Amino acid sequence: MATDNPATNHSGEYTARNVQETALIAAELLPLMLRSGVVSLEGPLGAGKTHFVKATALAMGITEDVTSPTFTLLQSYGVGESRLHHSDWYRLESESEVLALGLEEYYGDGLMFIEWGDKFPSILPQGILRIRIEPHLEGADEVRVIRWGNH
Ligand SMILES: Nc1ncnc2c1ncn2[C@@H]1O[C@H](COP(=O)(O)OP(=O)(O)OP(=O)(O)O)[C@@H](O)[C@H]1O
Ligand SMILES: [Mg+2]
C-alpha cells in the first residue's frame, strides 16, 4: 500500500484497493494533515473524497456521522483539539460565493477539509496540503491512487 513515508516526505503517492485501505491511508496522513490545518481534497465525482473525510474523522476519534456537505456547504464535528470542519465547493459558482461562507474563521481550528478545493485555487490558502484521489482500473479491479503534496 505505502510507497512513501509522510513523516519524512512532503509529497507521495499510495494506492488503495478498497475502502479499508483508503481509511488506513487517511490515518497515516493524519499528522501531516493536522500540521497543514487546511486540506484540499480533489478528484472526480465519486472518487472517494467524502469517504476519506469520514475515515479521517474516525482516526481523530470523532464518532459523529460525517455526511457530505454538498447542500449545507460547511459542517463541523467534534470538540476541542479534535475539531473537524468539512466544506464542499462543488456547488459553488464563484470565488465570491466561497468568500461569503467566511471559512477563514475556521482555518487553524483543528482540521478543515475542502472538497473540490481545486475549483478555486486562487482563494485556497497558500502552502496547504492537497490530496488527489484518482480511481482507475488495474485489470478488473478499481483502485484509487491517492497523491498528496503541496503541488
Ligand atoms: N478505495 C476506495 N476508497 C474510497 N471510496 C471507495 C473505494 N472503493 C470504493 N469506494 C466507494 O466509492 C464511493 C465514493 O463516494 P464519495 O461520496 O466518498 O465520493 P466523493 O469523491 O466525495 O464524490 P463527490 O465528488 O460526489 O462528492 C463510496 O460509495 C465508496 O464506498
Ligand atoms: Mg463528496
Short mmCIF file of all heavy atoms in Angstrom, two decimals, residues 64-128:
data_model
loop_
_atom_site.label_atom_id
_atom_site.label_comp_id
_atom_site.label_asym_id
_atom_site.label_seq_id
_atom_site.Cartn_x
_atom_site.Cartn_y
_atom_site.Cartn_z
N GLU A 64 -19.28 11.16 15.52
CA GLU A 64 -20.48 11.63 14.81
C GLU A 64 -20.47 11.13 13.38
O GLU A 64 -19.41 10.92 12.79
CB GLU A 64 -20.51 13.17 14.78
CG GLU A 64 -20.74 13.81 16.13
CD GLU A 64 -20.17 15.23 16.15
OE1 GLU A 64 -20.88 16.15 15.75
OE2 GLU A 64 -19.00 15.39 16.54
N ASP A 65 -21.64 11.00 12.78
CA ASP A 65 -21.74 10.53 11.40
C ASP A 65 -21.40 11.69 10.46
O ASP A 65 -22.08 12.71 10.45
CB ASP A 65 -23.17 10.03 11.16
CG ASP A 65 -23.28 9.31 9.83
OD1 ASP A 65 -22.25 8.81 9.36
OD2 ASP A 65 -24.39 9.28 9.29
N VAL A 66 -20.34 11.54 9.70
CA VAL A 66 -19.92 12.58 8.76
C VAL A 66 -20.66 12.38 7.45
O VAL A 66 -20.59 11.32 6.84
CB VAL A 66 -18.39 12.53 8.53
CG1 VAL A 66 -17.96 13.46 7.41
CG2 VAL A 66 -17.65 12.86 9.83
N THR A 67 -21.40 13.42 7.03
CA THR A 67 -22.15 13.31 5.77
C THR A 67 -21.66 14.37 4.80
O THR A 67 -20.98 15.32 5.19
CB THR A 67 -23.66 13.51 6.02
OG1 THR A 67 -23.82 14.75 6.71
CG2 THR A 67 -24.24 12.39 6.85
N SER A 68 -22.00 14.21 3.54
CA SER A 68 -21.50 15.14 2.53
C SER A 68 -22.11 16.52 2.72
O SER A 68 -23.32 16.67 2.82
CB SER A 68 -21.84 14.61 1.15
OG SER A 68 -21.36 15.53 0.20
N PRO A 69 -21.26 17.57 2.77
CA PRO A 69 -21.79 18.93 2.98
C PRO A 69 -22.14 19.62 1.66
O PRO A 69 -22.06 20.83 1.54
CB PRO A 69 -20.63 19.63 3.67
CG PRO A 69 -19.42 18.96 3.09
CD PRO A 69 -19.81 17.55 2.72
N THR A 70 -22.55 18.84 0.66
CA THR A 70 -22.81 19.41 -0.66
C THR A 70 -23.88 20.50 -0.57
O THR A 70 -23.78 21.53 -1.22
CB THR A 70 -23.26 18.31 -1.63
OG1 THR A 70 -22.23 17.32 -1.62
CG2 THR A 70 -23.40 18.84 -3.04
N PHE A 71 -24.91 20.30 0.23
CA PHE A 71 -26.00 21.28 0.30
C PHE A 71 -25.83 22.27 1.44
O PHE A 71 -26.18 23.43 1.31
CB PHE A 71 -27.36 20.56 0.39
CG PHE A 71 -27.62 19.77 -0.86
CD1 PHE A 71 -27.40 18.40 -0.90
CD2 PHE A 71 -28.03 20.41 -2.03
CE1 PHE A 71 -27.60 17.68 -2.07
CE2 PHE A 71 -28.23 19.70 -3.21
CZ PHE A 71 -28.02 18.34 -3.23
N THR A 72 -25.24 21.80 2.56
CA THR A 72 -25.07 22.71 3.69
C THR A 72 -23.80 23.54 3.56
O THR A 72 -23.65 24.53 4.26
CB THR A 72 -25.00 21.93 5.01
OG1 THR A 72 -24.06 20.88 4.84
CG2 THR A 72 -26.34 21.35 5.40
N LEU A 73 -22.89 23.13 2.68
CA LEU A 73 -21.64 23.84 2.36
C LEU A 73 -20.57 23.79 3.43
O LEU A 73 -19.40 23.82 3.14
CB LEU A 73 -21.90 25.29 1.95
CG LEU A 73 -22.86 25.43 0.75
CD1 LEU A 73 -23.16 26.91 0.49
CD2 LEU A 73 -22.28 24.77 -0.50
N LEU A 74 -20.98 23.71 4.70
CA LEU A 74 -19.97 23.56 5.77
C LEU A 74 -20.58 22.78 6.91
O LEU A 74 -21.69 23.08 7.35
CB LEU A 74 -19.53 24.93 6.29
CG LEU A 74 -18.57 24.86 7.49
CD1 LEU A 74 -17.22 24.27 7.09
CD2 LEU A 74 -18.39 26.22 8.13
N GLN A 75 -19.86 21.76 7.36
CA GLN A 75 -20.29 21.03 8.55
C GLN A 75 -19.11 20.91 9.50
O GLN A 75 -17.98 20.75 9.06
CB GLN A 75 -20.81 19.64 8.17
CG GLN A 75 -22.30 19.68 7.89
CD GLN A 75 -22.82 18.53 7.06
OE1 GLN A 75 -22.11 17.56 6.83
NE2 GLN A 75 -24.04 18.62 6.63
N SER A 76 -19.39 21.00 10.80
CA SER A 76 -18.33 20.93 11.81
C SER A 76 -18.64 19.81 12.79
O SER A 76 -19.81 19.57 13.14
CB SER A 76 -18.25 22.25 12.57
OG SER A 76 -17.91 23.29 11.67
N TYR A 77 -17.59 19.13 13.21
CA TYR A 77 -17.72 17.97 14.10
C TYR A 77 -16.70 18.06 15.21
O TYR A 77 -15.64 18.67 15.06
CB TYR A 77 -17.45 16.67 13.33
CG TYR A 77 -18.29 16.50 12.10
CD1 TYR A 77 -17.82 16.94 10.87
CD2 TYR A 77 -19.55 15.92 12.17
CE1 TYR A 77 -18.59 16.79 9.73
CE2 TYR A 77 -20.32 15.76 11.04
CZ TYR A 77 -19.84 16.20 9.81
OH TYR A 77 -20.60 16.05 8.69
N GLY A 78 -17.01 17.34 16.32
CA GLY A 78 -16.02 17.15 17.38
C GLY A 78 -15.95 18.31 18.33
O GLY A 78 -16.66 19.31 18.21
N VAL A 79 -15.06 18.15 19.30
CA VAL A 79 -14.85 19.19 20.30
C VAL A 79 -13.36 19.36 20.55
O VAL A 79 -12.57 18.46 20.28
CB VAL A 79 -15.53 18.85 21.66
CG1 VAL A 79 -17.03 19.01 21.57
CG2 VAL A 79 -15.16 17.45 22.10
N GLY A 80 -12.98 20.52 21.06
CA GLY A 80 -11.59 20.76 21.45
C GLY A 80 -10.62 20.54 20.32
O GLY A 80 -10.88 20.95 19.19
N GLU A 81 -9.52 19.87 20.61
CA GLU A 81 -8.48 19.70 19.61
C GLU A 81 -8.89 18.79 18.48
O GLU A 81 -8.23 18.74 17.45
CB GLU A 81 -7.21 19.15 20.27
CG GLU A 81 -6.50 20.21 21.06
CD GLU A 81 -5.31 19.64 21.82
OE1 GLU A 81 -4.85 18.55 21.45
OE2 GLU A 81 -4.88 20.30 22.77
N SER A 82 -9.94 18.04 18.67
CA SER A 82 -10.37 17.12 17.63
C SER A 82 -11.41 17.72 16.70
O SER A 82 -12.20 17.02 16.11
CB SER A 82 -10.90 15.84 18.26
OG SER A 82 -9.82 15.06 18.67
N ARG A 83 -11.40 19.04 16.57
CA ARG A 83 -12.40 19.65 15.67
C ARG A 83 -12.09 19.37 14.21
O ARG A 83 -10.98 19.49 13.75
CB ARG A 83 -12.46 21.15 15.90
CG ARG A 83 -13.34 21.50 17.08
CD ARG A 83 -13.77 22.93 17.11
NE ARG A 83 -15.01 23.17 16.38
CZ ARG A 83 -16.18 22.59 16.64
NH1 ARG A 83 -16.25 21.65 17.58
NH2 ARG A 83 -17.25 22.91 15.97
N LEU A 84 -13.16 19.02 13.50
CA LEU A 84 -13.05 18.76 12.06
C LEU A 84 -14.12 19.59 11.35
O LEU A 84 -15.29 19.56 11.74
CB LEU A 84 -13.29 17.27 11.80
CG LEU A 84 -13.34 16.84 10.33
CD1 LEU A 84 -11.95 16.86 9.73
CD2 LEU A 84 -13.93 15.45 10.21
N HIS A 85 -13.70 20.34 10.35
CA HIS A 85 -14.64 21.12 9.53
C HIS A 85 -14.58 20.58 8.11
O HIS A 85 -13.52 20.22 7.61
CB HIS A 85 -14.26 22.61 9.55
CG HIS A 85 -14.14 23.17 10.93
ND1 HIS A 85 -15.24 23.49 11.69
CD2 HIS A 85 -13.05 23.40 11.70
CE1 HIS A 85 -14.82 23.94 12.86
NE2 HIS A 85 -13.49 23.89 12.89
N HIS A 86 -15.73 20.53 7.48
CA HIS A 86 -15.82 19.89 6.17
C HIS A 86 -16.64 20.79 5.25
O HIS A 86 -17.82 21.03 5.50
CB HIS A 86 -16.50 18.52 6.37
CG HIS A 86 -16.60 17.69 5.14
ND1 HIS A 86 -17.41 16.58 5.08
CD2 HIS A 86 -15.99 17.78 3.94
CE1 HIS A 86 -17.29 16.02 3.88
NE2 HIS A 86 -16.44 16.73 3.17
N SER A 87 -15.99 21.29 4.22
CA SER A 87 -16.66 22.15 3.25
C SER A 87 -16.59 21.49 1.88
O SER A 87 -15.75 20.62 1.64
CB SER A 87 -15.94 23.51 3.25
OG SER A 87 -16.50 24.36 2.29
N ASP A 88 -17.48 21.89 0.99
CA ASP A 88 -17.52 21.28 -0.34
C ASP A 88 -17.84 22.39 -1.34
O ASP A 88 -18.89 23.03 -1.23
CB ASP A 88 -18.61 20.19 -0.37
CG ASP A 88 -18.58 19.36 -1.64
OD1 ASP A 88 -18.17 19.89 -2.69
OD2 ASP A 88 -18.96 18.18 -1.58
N TRP A 89 -16.93 22.62 -2.28
CA TRP A 89 -17.11 23.74 -3.21
C TRP A 89 -17.77 23.32 -4.52
O TRP A 89 -17.90 24.12 -5.44
CB TRP A 89 -15.74 24.40 -3.50
CG TRP A 89 -15.16 25.10 -2.31
CD1 TRP A 89 -15.72 25.22 -1.06
CD2 TRP A 89 -13.90 25.80 -2.23
NE1 TRP A 89 -14.90 25.93 -0.23
CE2 TRP A 89 -13.77 26.30 -0.91
CE3 TRP A 89 -12.87 26.04 -3.14
CZ2 TRP A 89 -12.66 27.03 -0.49
CZ3 TRP A 89 -11.76 26.78 -2.73
CH2 TRP A 89 -11.66 27.27 -1.41
N TYR A 90 -18.22 22.09 -4.59
CA TYR A 90 -18.74 21.56 -5.86
C TYR A 90 -19.88 22.42 -6.40
O TYR A 90 -19.94 22.72 -7.59
CB TYR A 90 -19.22 20.12 -5.68
CG TYR A 90 -19.72 19.50 -6.96
CD1 TYR A 90 -18.85 19.23 -8.01
CD2 TYR A 90 -21.08 19.21 -7.14
CE1 TYR A 90 -19.30 18.68 -9.20
CE2 TYR A 90 -21.54 18.66 -8.32
CZ TYR A 90 -20.65 18.40 -9.35
OH TYR A 90 -21.11 17.86 -10.52
N ARG A 91 -20.80 22.82 -5.53
CA ARG A 91 -21.98 23.56 -6.00
C ARG A 91 -21.78 25.06 -6.03
O ARG A 91 -22.69 25.80 -6.42
CB ARG A 91 -23.19 23.23 -5.11
CG ARG A 91 -23.76 21.94 -5.54
CD ARG A 91 -24.91 21.45 -4.73
NE ARG A 91 -25.13 20.08 -5.15
CZ ARG A 91 -25.89 19.75 -6.21
NH1 ARG A 91 -26.53 20.65 -6.89
NH2 ARG A 91 -25.99 18.49 -6.57
N LEU A 92 -20.64 25.54 -5.60
CA LEU A 92 -20.41 26.99 -5.58
C LEU A 92 -19.96 27.45 -6.97
O LEU A 92 -19.22 26.75 -7.66
CB LEU A 92 -19.37 27.32 -4.51
CG LEU A 92 -19.86 26.98 -3.10
CD1 LEU A 92 -18.74 27.11 -2.09
CD2 LEU A 92 -21.03 27.87 -2.71
N GLU A 93 -20.41 28.61 -7.35
CA GLU A 93 -20.17 29.04 -8.73
C GLU A 93 -19.11 30.11 -8.88
O GLU A 93 -18.66 30.38 -9.99
CB GLU A 93 -21.48 29.49 -9.36
CG GLU A 93 -22.28 28.26 -9.76
CD GLU A 93 -23.69 28.52 -10.22
OE1 GLU A 93 -24.04 29.71 -10.37
OE2 GLU A 93 -24.40 27.54 -10.41
N SER A 94 -18.73 30.75 -7.79
CA SER A 94 -17.73 31.81 -7.93
C SER A 94 -16.93 31.94 -6.63
O SER A 94 -17.38 31.50 -5.57
CB SER A 94 -18.39 33.15 -8.22
OG SER A 94 -19.17 33.52 -7.10
N GLU A 95 -15.77 32.58 -6.76
CA GLU A 95 -14.93 32.84 -5.59
C GLU A 95 -15.72 33.63 -4.54
O GLU A 95 -15.59 33.39 -3.34
CB GLU A 95 -13.68 33.64 -5.99
CG GLU A 95 -12.58 32.81 -6.61
CD GLU A 95 -12.76 32.58 -8.11
OE1 GLU A 95 -13.84 32.93 -8.66
OE2 GLU A 95 -11.83 32.04 -8.74
N SER A 96 -16.55 34.58 -5.00
CA SER A 96 -17.26 35.41 -4.01
C SER A 96 -18.27 34.59 -3.21
O SER A 96 -18.49 34.86 -2.03
CB SER A 96 -17.93 36.61 -4.68
OG SER A 96 -18.83 36.16 -5.65
N GLU A 97 -18.84 33.55 -3.84
CA GLU A 97 -19.74 32.67 -3.07
C GLU A 97 -18.97 31.93 -1.97
O GLU A 97 -19.48 31.73 -0.87
CB GLU A 97 -20.40 31.64 -3.99
CG GLU A 97 -21.61 32.17 -4.73
CD GLU A 97 -22.33 31.09 -5.52
OE1 GLU A 97 -22.32 29.91 -5.10
OE2 GLU A 97 -22.87 31.42 -6.57
N VAL A 98 -17.75 31.51 -2.30
CA VAL A 98 -16.92 30.84 -1.28
C VAL A 98 -16.57 31.83 -0.18
O VAL A 98 -16.71 31.52 1.02
CB VAL A 98 -15.62 30.28 -1.90
CG1 VAL A 98 -14.75 29.67 -0.81
CG2 VAL A 98 -15.93 29.26 -2.98
N LEU A 99 -16.14 33.02 -0.58
CA LEU A 99 -15.70 34.00 0.42
C LEU A 99 -16.85 34.35 1.37
O LEU A 99 -16.63 34.58 2.56
CB LEU A 99 -15.16 35.26 -0.27
CG LEU A 99 -13.86 35.01 -1.06
CD1 LEU A 99 -13.45 36.24 -1.87
CD2 LEU A 99 -12.72 34.57 -0.14
N ALA A 100 -18.09 34.31 0.87
CA ALA A 100 -19.25 34.63 1.70
C ALA A 100 -19.46 33.61 2.82
O ALA A 100 -20.14 33.91 3.81
CB ALA A 100 -20.50 34.72 0.83
N LEU A 101 -18.87 32.42 2.66
CA LEU A 101 -19.01 31.41 3.72
C LEU A 101 -18.17 31.76 4.96
O LEU A 101 -18.41 31.22 6.04
CB LEU A 101 -18.55 30.03 3.23
CG LEU A 101 -19.32 29.38 2.09
CD1 LEU A 101 -18.67 28.06 1.69
CD2 LEU A 101 -20.77 29.14 2.49
N GLY A 102 -17.16 32.61 4.78
CA GLY A 102 -16.32 33.01 5.92
C GLY A 102 -15.50 31.87 6.50
O GLY A 102 -15.34 31.75 7.72
N LEU A 103 -14.97 31.02 5.61
CA LEU A 103 -14.25 29.83 6.09
C LEU A 103 -13.00 30.17 6.88
O LEU A 103 -12.58 29.38 7.73
CB LEU A 103 -13.87 28.93 4.91
CG LEU A 103 -15.02 28.34 4.10
CD1 LEU A 103 -14.49 27.49 2.95
CD2 LEU A 103 -15.94 27.51 4.98
N GLU A 104 -12.40 31.34 6.62
CA GLU A 104 -11.13 31.70 7.29
C GLU A 104 -11.27 31.60 8.80
O GLU A 104 -10.32 31.30 9.50
CB GLU A 104 -10.65 33.12 6.96
CG GLU A 104 -10.76 33.57 5.55
CD GLU A 104 -12.19 33.96 5.19
OE1 GLU A 104 -12.77 34.85 5.82
OE2 GLU A 104 -12.72 33.32 4.27
N GLU A 105 -12.49 31.86 9.26
CA GLU A 105 -12.77 31.80 10.69
C GLU A 105 -12.43 30.43 11.28
O GLU A 105 -12.10 30.29 12.45
CB GLU A 105 -14.27 32.07 10.86
CG GLU A 105 -14.70 32.37 12.25
CD GLU A 105 -16.23 32.50 12.30
OE1 GLU A 105 -16.80 33.14 11.38
OE2 GLU A 105 -16.82 31.95 13.23
N TYR A 106 -12.51 29.40 10.41
CA TYR A 106 -12.30 28.02 10.88
C TYR A 106 -10.90 27.52 10.59
O TYR A 106 -10.49 26.50 11.11
CB TYR A 106 -13.33 27.08 10.22
CG TYR A 106 -14.75 27.49 10.50
CD1 TYR A 106 -15.42 28.35 9.64
CD2 TYR A 106 -15.41 27.02 11.64
CE1 TYR A 106 -16.73 28.74 9.90
CE2 TYR A 106 -16.71 27.42 11.91
CZ TYR A 106 -17.36 28.27 11.04
OH TYR A 106 -18.64 28.65 11.30
N TYR A 107 -10.18 28.21 9.69
CA TYR A 107 -8.82 27.78 9.37
C TYR A 107 -7.98 27.87 10.64
O TYR A 107 -7.96 28.90 11.31
CB TYR A 107 -8.19 28.65 8.27
CG TYR A 107 -8.86 28.58 6.91
CD1 TYR A 107 -8.58 29.53 5.94
CD2 TYR A 107 -9.75 27.56 6.58
CE1 TYR A 107 -9.17 29.47 4.67
CE2 TYR A 107 -10.35 27.50 5.34
CZ TYR A 107 -10.06 28.46 4.39
OH TYR A 107 -10.65 28.41 3.15
N GLY A 108 -7.27 26.80 10.97
CA GLY A 108 -6.44 26.83 12.18
C GLY A 108 -7.17 26.28 13.41
O GLY A 108 -6.56 26.04 14.44
N ASP A 109 -8.48 26.06 13.30
CA ASP A 109 -9.24 25.46 14.40
C ASP A 109 -9.39 23.97 14.08
O ASP A 109 -10.34 23.57 13.41
CB ASP A 109 -10.61 26.14 14.51
CG ASP A 109 -11.52 25.43 15.52
OD1 ASP A 109 -11.00 24.97 16.55
OD2 ASP A 109 -12.73 25.33 15.25
N GLY A 110 -8.42 23.18 14.50
CA GLY A 110 -8.45 21.75 14.15
C GLY A 110 -8.14 21.57 12.67
O GLY A 110 -7.23 22.19 12.15
N LEU A 111 -8.93 20.76 12.02
CA LEU A 111 -8.65 20.40 10.62
C LEU A 111 -9.82 20.79 9.72
O LEU A 111 -10.97 20.49 10.04
CB LEU A 111 -8.41 18.87 10.56
CG LEU A 111 -8.13 18.24 9.21
CD1 LEU A 111 -6.92 18.86 8.54
CD2 LEU A 111 -7.92 16.73 9.39
N MET A 112 -9.51 21.46 8.63
CA MET A 112 -10.55 21.85 7.65
C MET A 112 -10.31 21.11 6.34
O MET A 112 -9.24 21.21 5.75
CB MET A 112 -10.47 23.37 7.41
CG MET A 112 -11.12 23.85 6.13
SD MET A 112 -12.93 23.77 6.12
CE MET A 112 -13.31 25.24 7.04
N PHE A 113 -11.30 20.33 5.91
CA PHE A 113 -11.25 19.71 4.59
C PHE A 113 -12.07 20.54 3.61
O PHE A 113 -13.19 20.96 3.93
CB PHE A 113 -11.89 18.32 4.62
CG PHE A 113 -10.98 17.23 5.08
CD1 PHE A 113 -11.21 16.58 6.29
CD2 PHE A 113 -9.92 16.81 4.29
CE1 PHE A 113 -10.38 15.57 6.71
CE2 PHE A 113 -9.08 15.78 4.71
CZ PHE A 113 -9.32 15.16 5.92
N ILE A 114 -11.52 20.74 2.43
CA ILE A 114 -12.28 21.41 1.37
C ILE A 114 -12.36 20.45 0.19
O ILE A 114 -11.35 20.20 -0.50
CB ILE A 114 -11.61 22.72 0.93
CG1 ILE A 114 -11.48 23.67 2.12
CG2 ILE A 114 -12.42 23.36 -0.19
CD1 ILE A 114 -10.66 24.91 1.84
N GLU A 115 -13.54 19.87 -0.01
CA GLU A 115 -13.72 19.03 -1.22
C GLU A 115 -13.83 19.94 -2.42
O GLU A 115 -14.47 20.99 -2.35
CB GLU A 115 -15.00 18.17 -1.10
CG GLU A 115 -14.78 16.92 -0.31
CD GLU A 115 -15.96 15.93 -0.37
OE1 GLU A 115 -16.47 15.64 -1.47
OE2 GLU A 115 -16.34 15.45 0.70
N TRP A 116 -13.23 19.56 -3.52
CA TRP A 116 -13.21 20.36 -4.75
C TRP A 116 -12.48 21.69 -4.54
O TRP A 116 -12.81 22.69 -5.18
CB TRP A 116 -14.64 20.61 -5.28
CG TRP A 116 -15.32 19.36 -5.72
CD1 TRP A 116 -16.16 18.58 -4.98
CD2 TRP A 116 -15.21 18.69 -7.00
NE1 TRP A 116 -16.59 17.49 -5.70
CE2 TRP A 116 -16.03 17.54 -6.94
CE3 TRP A 116 -14.50 18.97 -8.18
CZ2 TRP A 116 -16.16 16.65 -8.02
CZ3 TRP A 116 -14.65 18.09 -9.25
CH2 TRP A 116 -15.46 16.94 -9.15
N GLY A 117 -11.46 21.70 -3.68
CA GLY A 117 -10.71 22.93 -3.43
C GLY A 117 -10.01 23.43 -4.68
O GLY A 117 -9.77 24.63 -4.82
N ASP A 118 -9.71 22.52 -5.62
CA ASP A 118 -9.01 22.94 -6.85
C ASP A 118 -9.91 23.72 -7.80
O ASP A 118 -9.45 24.25 -8.79
CB ASP A 118 -8.40 21.73 -7.57
CG ASP A 118 -9.39 20.60 -7.79
OD1 ASP A 118 -10.38 20.49 -7.03
OD2 ASP A 118 -9.19 19.82 -8.73
N LYS A 119 -11.20 23.82 -7.45
CA LYS A 119 -12.11 24.57 -8.31
C LYS A 119 -11.77 26.07 -8.28
O LYS A 119 -11.93 26.76 -9.29
CB LYS A 119 -13.55 24.33 -7.81
CG LYS A 119 -14.58 24.66 -8.82
CD LYS A 119 -15.95 24.19 -8.36
CE LYS A 119 -16.99 24.83 -9.27
NZ LYS A 119 -18.35 24.52 -8.81
N PHE A 120 -11.34 26.56 -7.13
CA PHE A 120 -11.00 27.99 -6.99
C PHE A 120 -9.61 28.10 -6.35
O PHE A 120 -9.47 28.54 -5.20
CB PHE A 120 -12.03 28.71 -6.13
CG PHE A 120 -13.44 28.60 -6.65
CD1 PHE A 120 -14.40 27.90 -5.94
CD2 PHE A 120 -13.79 29.19 -7.87
CE1 PHE A 120 -15.70 27.79 -6.42
CE2 PHE A 120 -15.09 29.09 -8.36
CZ PHE A 120 -16.05 28.39 -7.64
N PRO A 121 -8.56 27.72 -7.10
CA PRO A 121 -7.21 27.69 -6.50
C PRO A 121 -6.74 29.04 -5.99
O PRO A 121 -5.96 29.10 -5.04
CB PRO A 121 -6.32 27.19 -7.64
CG PRO A 121 -7.13 27.30 -8.89
CD PRO A 121 -8.57 27.30 -8.50
N SER A 122 -7.26 30.13 -6.58
CA SER A 122 -6.76 31.46 -6.20
C SER A 122 -7.16 31.81 -4.76
O SER A 122 -6.52 32.67 -4.15
CB SER A 122 -7.27 32.52 -7.16
OG SER A 122 -8.67 32.64 -7.03
N ILE A 123 -8.21 31.17 -4.23
CA ILE A 123 -8.60 31.52 -2.85
C ILE A 123 -8.32 30.40 -1.86
O ILE A 123 -8.72 30.48 -0.70
CB ILE A 123 -10.08 31.97 -2.76
CG1 ILE A 123 -10.99 30.93 -3.38
CG2 ILE A 123 -10.27 33.34 -3.41
CD1 ILE A 123 -12.44 31.17 -3.06
N LEU A 124 -7.61 29.37 -2.32
CA LEU A 124 -7.13 28.36 -1.36
C LEU A 124 -5.99 28.98 -0.56
O LEU A 124 -5.15 29.66 -1.15
CB LEU A 124 -6.57 27.14 -2.10
CG LEU A 124 -7.50 26.00 -2.47
CD1 LEU A 124 -6.69 24.92 -3.18
CD2 LEU A 124 -8.21 25.43 -1.26
N PRO A 125 -5.92 28.75 0.74
CA PRO A 125 -4.78 29.26 1.49
C PRO A 125 -3.47 28.71 0.89
O PRO A 125 -3.43 27.59 0.39
CB PRO A 125 -4.99 28.72 2.90
CG PRO A 125 -6.42 28.35 2.97
CD PRO A 125 -6.86 28.00 1.59
N GLN A 126 -2.43 29.53 0.93
CA GLN A 126 -1.13 29.16 0.36
C GLN A 126 -0.49 27.99 1.13
O GLN A 126 -0.60 27.93 2.35
CB GLN A 126 -0.15 30.34 0.49
CG GLN A 126 -0.57 31.57 -0.28
CD GLN A 126 -0.14 31.48 -1.72
OE1 GLN A 126 1.02 31.25 -2.00
NE2 GLN A 126 -1.08 31.63 -2.63
N GLY A 127 0.19 27.12 0.40
CA GLY A 127 1.05 26.11 1.02
C GLY A 127 0.33 24.98 1.72
O GLY A 127 0.94 24.21 2.44
N ILE A 128 -0.98 24.87 1.54
CA ILE A 128 -1.71 23.81 2.24
C ILE A 128 -1.46 22.46 1.57
O ILE A 128 -0.99 22.39 0.44
CB ILE A 128 -3.23 24.08 2.26
CG1 ILE A 128 -3.77 24.14 0.82
CG2 ILE A 128 -3.55 25.30 3.07
CD1 ILE A 128 -5.26 23.98 0.74
#
